[in-house]
Amino acid sequence: MRHLARLADYCSITNMHTKNLAIVWAPNLLRSKQIESACFSGTAAFMEVRIQSVVVEFILNHVDVLFSSKLSSVIREGAGVCL
């Protein structure tokens, strides 16, 4: 995720800002067996991929906070995990 976020820093050159990266990578990063099944219609599959891309875009826009060591330690302390 950090790599994709760094790639987005070069969007003025590549035109791959976080939204474009999310559209391309979301189906691979958040693969859903429901979408791949034959029972999912085209419209429902499109809506599912759209939600996935919004989630990936959010993660890319907040990668520094979500994957910071400080946040990890706060989560561990809140869960009562001792290392």
Side-chain angles (χ1 to χ4, degrees):
M1 293 309 272
R2 287 178 196 246
H3 173 71
L4 292 177
R6 273 188 251 124
L7 186 59
D9 291 339
Y10 296 95
C11 66
S12 62
I13 299 167
T14 64
N15 200 31
M16 291 300 287
H17 45 80
T18 55
K19 186 171 186 140
N20 285 345
L21 289 167
I23 289 169
V24 171
W25 283 96
N28 293 305
L29 295 172
L30 301 176
R31 175 163 271 167
S32 170
K33 290 186 181 194
Q34 289 178 329
I35 293 174
E36 294 173 0
S37 70
C39 65
F40 235 71
S41 72
T43 304
F46 175 76
M47 291 305 294
E48 184 74 18
V49 170
R50 188 170 174 212
I51 291 167
Q52 289 173 342
S53 70
V54 169
V55 170
V56 171
E57 184 179 2
F58 176 84
I59 293 170
L60 290 175
N61 285 326
H62 299 90
V63 74
D64 292 334
V65 174
L66 294 171
F67 296 101
S68 73
S69 58
K70 186 175 181 180
L71 180 63
S72 296
S73 65
V74 168
I75 291 171
R76 269 183 274 159
E77 288 173 12
V81 176
C82 297
L83 295 177

